[in-house]
Amino acid sequence: MKGRLTAFVSLWCLVCCACSGGGGGGAGDVPVDGAADVEDASADAAVGCRPEQAELATLLSQYEVFAGETVTVKCSFEGCDDWTPEGIDFLVAGKKGEDYYLEKHSVTFEKPGKYEIACVFDGVEGEIQDTTPAEIVVQPGVPHEILTSITEDEVKAGTKLSVDCSAFDEFDNQIYGQFIVATVPQTGVSVAGTTFTPTIVGEYEVVCVLDGLHAGEYPASLDVVPNVPAKVYTELTEETVIAGGSAGLACRATDLWENKVAGFPMVVAVPWQVELTGLTISSWIVGDYEVKCVPQALDWGLFSLYPAMIHVVPAAPAAIQLEVVPHKQT
C-alpha cells in the first residue's frame, strides 16, 4: 500500500510542478514571450506608418493621355499602401479651370503639355509634399473641327494650288498631323500632300483630310476655267466629197489639257484647188487636200496644229465621148 501511494504523489508532482511559475522556463512562460512579440510588431508598424517619417509618393493611372481624358491620382506613404490619412491631397502644375479641372481623386486636362502632379499631406508637424512629382504628357484630343482654306475661288486649268489645313479638338487645341487634300470630282486632278493641280474645267469641292482618317465637314469651292490656247483642231463634216460637192468645217482651240477655249480668233488655210466659202469648202479637182485652221494673228509655231484631209473623188458622168484608139484617118 505504501508503495502505491508513493507512486501517485510522484505523478501529481510531475503534472502540477509543470503548471507552476517556478522552474525557470516552464510551460507557463510561453504566453508572456508571445505577448511581447506582438507588442513589438505593432510598435514597428505604427512607426512605419507615421506620415512625418514616411516618404510620400504620387501614382497615376496613366502617364500619357489626350485632352479630355481623366487621370486617377493615388497618394501613398512608403510602407503604408493600404492606409490613407486625413489631410492628404495633390497639387497640379498649371491653371485650374483653364488647363485642367479637378475631382476628388482625379484630374481631367483640357490643354496639351507636360504637367507635374505632386501629392501633399497636411500633418500635425506641417505640410509634407512629394519631392519627386509624377510627370504626365497631355496630347491634343480627337479632331472636332477640320478647316480647309484656299486663297483663290477661280483658277485656270493646270494651276497648282496650295491648301491651308488646320484641325482642332473640342477644347480648341490645334492638332498637328499629316494632311492631304481630297477633291470632288477626282478626275483630272493630281494631288501631292496639301497641294493639287486641277486640269479639267468645272466646279470642284476641296477638303482637308487628317492622317487619312478625318475629313473636314465644310469643303472649299473652286471654279476651274480654261487656260490659254495651245492646240488648234480642224474638223470636217465629210472627209470624202465628189467633185463639185462641199463639206462643212469647224475650228476648235483648246488649252494644253484639251479644255475648249471660246472666242479665240482663227482663220482657215486651204490650197488653191479648194474653194472656201464661209465655213464650207468645195473643189472641182479630184485629189487629196489639207485643210488647216490656224491662229489669226499669232505665230503658228506657238501652237500644235491638227489639220484635216479632204478627199475629192470624181462626180457622176455628165457626158459620153467616143474615141477610136488608135486614131487613124481611114
Side-chain angles (χ1 to χ4, degrees):
M1 181 67 180
K2 183 178 179 181
R4 293 176 61 186
L5 181 60
T6 302
F8 176 79
V9 172
S10 299
L11 180 61
W12 179 87
C13 183
L14 178 62
V15 175
C16 292
C17 289
C19 297
S20 65
D29 295 335
V30 175
V32 175
D33 294 341
D37 292 340
V38 171
E39 183 179 356
D40 292 341
S42 301
D44 293 341
V47 171
C49 290
R50 290 176 182 174
E52 293 80 1
Q53 300 178 1
E55 183 176 349
L56 187 59
T58 307
L59 301 176
L60 307 179
S61 60
Q62 299 180 77
Y63 292 87
E64 185 170 348
V65 296
F66 294 103
E69 288 190 277
T70 299
V71 180
T72 302
V73 182
K74 180 181 179 182
C75 300
S76 64
F77 287 94
E78 183 180 358
C80 306
D81 294 339
D82 298 329
W83 177 69
T84 303
E86 296 294 332
I88 198 166
D89 201 354
F90 61 90
L91 300 175
V92 183
K95 296 181 180 180
K96 182 179 178 181
E98 182 176 335
D99 297 335
Y100 63 89
Y101 61 88
L102 299 175
E103 296 180 1
K104 185 174 182 181
H105 299 294
S106 63
V107 55
T108 302
F109 293 93
E110 295 186 356
K111 300 297 180 183
K114 181 182 288 187
Y115 296 86
E116 289 186 346
I117 302 178
C119 290
V120 294
F121 173 67
D122 189 10
V124 177
E125 299 181 5
E127 185 179 84
I128 300 174
Q129 181 173 327
D130 185 357
T131 57
T132 57
E135 290 188 350
I136 184 170
V137 177
V138 181
Q139 302 287 354
V142 297
H144 179 69
E145 183 179 30
I146 297 177
L147 303 179
T148 305
S149 176
I150 52 179
T151 57
E152 304 289 340
D153 56 6
E154 180 180 293
V155 296
K156 293 180 178 180
T159 303
K160 186 177 182 180
L161 293 169
S162 295
V163 183
D164 184 17
C165 298
S166 55
F168 302 88
D169 63 15
E170 62 176 319
F171 306 106
D172 290 330
N173 300 312
Q174 188 165 2
I175 302 172
Y176 299 94
Q178 187 69 36
F179 287 99
I180 59 173
V181 172
T183 64
V184 178
Q186 298 179 351
T187 305
V189 180
S190 60
V191 177
T194 56
T195 63
F196 74 104
T197 305
T199 59
I200 298 179
V201 169
E203 295 181 355
Y204 291 81
E205 288 188 343
V206 185
V207 68
C208 294
V209 180
L210 175 62
D211 296 332
L213 298 174
H214 309 282
E217 297 182 357
Y218 306 102
S221 298
L222 179 68
D223 188 21
V224 179
V225 298
N227 211 314
V228 297
K231 303 176 182 181
V232 177
Y233 292 89
T234 306
E235 299 172 343
L236 299 177
T237 58
E238 301 288 343
E239 294 182 354
T240 301
V241 297
I242 61 174
S246 62
L249 67 83
C251 296
R252 180 169 58 91
T254 71
D255 62 14
L256 192 61
W257 297 274
E258 304 294 337
N259 299 301
K260 185 178 180 180
V261 180
F264 181 60
M266 294 174 283
V267 295
V268 182
V270 296
W272 65 268
Q273 296 93 337
V274 177
E275 182 179 348
L276 175 65
T277 304
L279 294 177
T280 301
I281 58 173
S282 60
S283 178
W284 296 91
I285 303 175
V286 172
D288 296 325
Y289 307 103
E290 183 182 83
V291 180
K292 181 165 53 179
C293 295
V294 295
Q296 182 176 0
L298 298 175
D299 184 2
W300 295 6
L302 300 176
F303 301 84
S304 297
L305 304 179
Y306 298 88
M309 296 296 296
I310 186 167
H311 182 56
V312 182
V313 297
I320 297 177
Q321 181 179 355
L322 179 62
E323 292 185 357
V324 178
V325 179
H327 179 72
K328 295 183 178 180
Q329 294 182 352
T330 58

